[in-house]
Amino acid sequence: MKTKVIYPLIGILFLSLSSFAFHKFYMGVFQVNYAAEKKMIQITSRIFIDDLNNGMEKKYHQKTFVGTDKETQTDVDLLKKYLAENFTIKINGQSKPITFLSKEVESNDVLVCYSRIKEIDKFKTIEISNTILVDWNSEQQNITHISAFGTKKSVLFTESSRKEVLKY
């Protein structure tokens, strides 16, 4: 009789404790490269598809299906708008327009977006503001790697740290 009670209790205890070990990780990875020979900044963004759709739905009050087989042109247009509003770059204090080029799905759950800024000569400062998904989820972190003039720097953007100025 005792074992009939003990084993189920141990099983319930194990399941309840193991549920704490599975915590979703909220991370976006961004690469910003200055290609001096092309006078261009190239931007690659990697964002989890489900988080992106949830964040855009919260912001625009519209269900989206970016990166899925249900994706529409309206979803893509909303994605471009979202990226433009939440990822900005200033060169030497001046805002620069970012052109969205394309996107692809990687590993079935990550959306990779490619963008660029043209006609960028040598600069002294680059200011990056990255609030992608931060308003949707306070645990969101966006690591941004910046390569320019032979130097690589990394910045972590969070709910409390949304903007960074780098000097070259």
Side-chain angles (χ1 to χ4, degrees):
M1 175 71 181
K2 206 177 203 181
T3 58
K4 287 183 180 180
V5 174
I6 299 269
Y7 287 123
L9 285 176
I10 290 173
I12 291 170
L13 181 64
F14 175 76
L15 288 174
S16 64
L17 290 176
S18 67
S19 67
F20 291 109
F22 301 110
H23 182 265
K24 187 151 165 58
F25 190 61
Y26 299 99
M27 176 68 73
V29 179
F30 300 80
Q31 181 69 47
V32 177
N33 292 327
Y34 176 59
E37 68 283 353
K38 296 179 182 179
K39 294 187 177 182
M40 177 187 311
I41 292 178
Q42 302 163 327
I43 305 160
T44 305
S45 310
R46 285 181 168 76
I47 309 163
F48 285 107
I49 293 171
D50 58 342
D51 296 340
L52 181 60
N53 283 311
N54 287 333
M56 290 188 347
E57 181 179 351
K58 181 180 180 187
K59 182 166 181 138
Y60 300 117
H61 308 289
Q62 180 178 335
K63 186 106 174 114
T64 60
F65 300 95
V66 171
T68 71
D69 55 357
K70 295 180 182 179
E71 178 182 277
T72 66
Q73 184 58 47
T74 302
D75 294 335
V76 175
D77 293 341
L78 216 52
L79 169 67
K80 291 177 185 179
K81 178 180 178 182
Y82 185 79
L83 292 174
E85 290 174 353
N86 291 282
F87 190 92
T88 60
I89 292 181
K90 290 182 181 179
I91 301 295
N92 296 328
Q94 293 187 337
S95 292
K96 296 295 179 180
I98 299 174
T99 303
F100 178 88
L101 300 173
S102 66
K103 63 174 181 49
E104 65 181 331
V105 175
E106 181 179 88
S107 306
N108 288 332
D109 62 349
V110 174
L111 188 72
V112 182
C113 299
Y114 302 98
S115 305
R116 72 175 177 208
I117 303 173
K118 292 175 77 173
E119 300 175 21
I120 301 296
D121 289 317
K122 191 170 182 173
F123 54 89
K124 293 185 181 197
T125 64
I126 181 170
E127 179 181 312
I128 299 174
S129 174
N130 186 342
T131 59
I132 303 276
L133 299 178
V134 170
D135 292 328
W136 169 70
N137 183 351
S138 62
E139 294 179 38
Q140 177 71 27
Q141 298 180 353
N142 295 319
I143 183 108
T144 305
H145 304 289
I146 304 101
S147 296
F149 311 112
T151 305
K152 294 181 181 181
K153 299 179 182 181
S154 295
V155 178
L156 182 65
F157 294 97
T158 63
E159 183 180 39
S160 61
S161 174
R162 298 171 174 230
K163 189 185 304 185
E164 186 76 27
V165 178
L166 302 166
K167 296 180 181 182
Y168 288 93

